Amino acid sequence: MNADPDQYGVVGHPVGHSRSPFIHGLFARQTQQNMVYRLYDVAPADFRIKVAEFFAAGGCGLNVTVPHKVAAAEFASELTPRAERAGAVNTLARQGDKVLGDNTDGAGLVRDLLTNLDVQVAGTRVLILGAGGASRGVIAPLLELAPSELVVANRTADKARDLVSLFSDLGNVRGCGFEDLPLRAFDLVINATSAGLGGGVPKVSEVVVGPATVCYDMSYGRADTPFVRWAWDRGCARAVQGWGMLVEQAAESFQLWRGVRPDTGPVLRVLESTAP
Ligand code: ATR
């Protein structure tokens, strides 16, 4: 007789749109893991108690999404160094009577850039747009790739300056407002704002995109996102949306939980072609 499946899930609010159950379902089938992965829509006020209940009932691991990533870092009994750096957790894993907090977002982006897209970061000039939670998790992993310069530009300049001050020991990084950006093209421009949710793009000078610039949107959708359309219209070399980052951060969580790394390529292709 088969043992009961191990329990996993994603906790967010709202979370109904999440593709994580689909992705982890494909990973589990591919690697023959006896596990289930569910959606947990939990309001911020209930986060601690619901997550504690999940683990007390034998749950093995959770992904954590908006708006709970900082609360998850506070919940975890221990943090990996990268989660500690990010001050945010997207993966909780039960380890004995402890719950480990990790952050796989940055590793997911780096793996998508380097492995899937063959984009060079070492020695290049990188611009991140946005200074919220999405940006926070990827700054340290990008600096580890030794770009010649990393600029974090935000609509609210002070927020960018405050954020980069947490990472200044890791490399050449500075924060500024959109209007203070140097007027020349970057090699890589990453959109980490939530402007696309309202159908918009961050109001930056189009000079930051040149014919050799790779543009990466951490958001994704079935059709081109507003930022991807904007980037193509400005004549960039490539514009990519964040499906790869989504799948790679999930694979990194899956590996932490199950000790096996799924093959992300086929999952990414299914996901892109079946996006709602
Ligand atoms: P989260 O932490 O979940 O990423 P957030 O803290 O609200 O969410 O951050 C969202 C990011 O998108 C911020 O950098 C925000 O800029 P501000 O700090 O100036 O608010 C940015 N953002 C949201 N809508 C935007 C828009 N229409 N244009 C430019 N930036 C926008």
Side-chain angles (χ1 to χ4, degrees), residues 44-64:
D46 300 330
F47 179 79
R48 233 190 139 77
I49 181 99
K50 294 288 182 198
V51 171
E53 279 172 14
F54 173 86
F55 285 108
C60 295
L62 288 172
N63 282 131
V64 181

Side-chain angles (χ1 to χ4, degrees), residues 95-116:
Q95 296 193 334
D97 54 3
K98 291 190 172 159
V99 176
L100 178 72
D102 193 9
N103 190 317
T104 67
D105 287 331
L109 173 65
V110 164
R111 196 169 173 102
D112 194 33
L113 287 171
L114 267 51
T115 307
N116 299 340

